[in-house]
């Protein structure tokens, strides 16, 4: 018989609190465009559930289809159809966008939001 506390929930030690969102998204990069679900989001990063188990390139744009926002991100980890990304910036896709986000805006328009 073991004494002690048993299993305890691990404390979330992230600097930025996560917000569960579960919204449709699109991952966009040169020669990559795939549907995803943005599972959770914080000021520092996000977790995605990918449409298929394709390996992502190191840097991508993740588009929140409903909000019309593209997040520049670096892939930190990927396991099967899930990935964790470090967010490096956000840009609204409504109106003019920086040239580096032109592909993300095109992907957003193809996803059916205006």
């Amino acid at each position: 018989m073991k004494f002690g506390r048993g299993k305890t929930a691990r404390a979330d030690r992230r600097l930025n609190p996560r917000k569960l969102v579960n919204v449709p998204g699109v991952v966009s990069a040169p020669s990559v465009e795939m549907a995803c679900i943005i599972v959770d989001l914080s000021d520092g990063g996000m977790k995605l559930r990918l449409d298929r188990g394709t390996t992502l390139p190191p840097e991508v744009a993740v588009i929140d289809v409903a909000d019309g926002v593209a997040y520049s991100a670096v892939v930190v980890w990927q396991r099967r159809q899930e990935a964790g990304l470090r967010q490096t910036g956000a840009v609204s896709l409504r109106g003019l966008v920086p040239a580096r986000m032109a592909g993300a805006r095109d992907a957003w328009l193809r996803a059916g939001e205006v």
Side-chain angles (χ1 to χ4, degrees):
M1 176 182 252
K2 291 185 179 181
F3 294 98
R5 297 182 206 174
K7 291 186 179 181
T8 58
R10 292 190 333 213
D12 191 351
R13 298 181 302 194
R14 289 175 179 83
L15 295 175
N16 302 307
R18 292 180 294 174
K19 180 174 126 183
L20 295 176
V21 291
N22 285 313
V23 296
V26 175
V27 176
S28 176
S31 59
V32 173
E33 188 173 305
M34 79 172 76
C36 70
I37 298 292
I38 303 170
V39 177
D40 66 47
L41 184 63
S42 73
D43 289 340
M46 64 188 73
K47 179 179 175 183
L48 305 179
R49 186 171 306 115
L50 304 171
D51 186 42
R52 53 190 183 271
T54 304
T55 301
L56 295 175
E59 295 183 23
V60 298
V62 178
I63 302 154
D64 180 329
V65 175
D67 283 348
V69 174
Y71 299 94
S72 297
V74 175
V75 177
V76 177
W77 61 266
Q78 185 174 358
R79 287 181 212 100
R80 297 183 191 99
Q81 290 181 256
E82 291 190 330
L85 291 83
R86 181 173 38 89
Q87 179 183 316
T88 58
V91 173
S92 173
L93 298 173
R94 301 177 194 279
L96 297 176
V97 297
R100 64 183 169 74
M101 286 296 195
R105 185 165 195 278
D106 292 343
W108 176 63
L109 292 173
R110 281 190 293 278
E113 295 292 322
V114 227

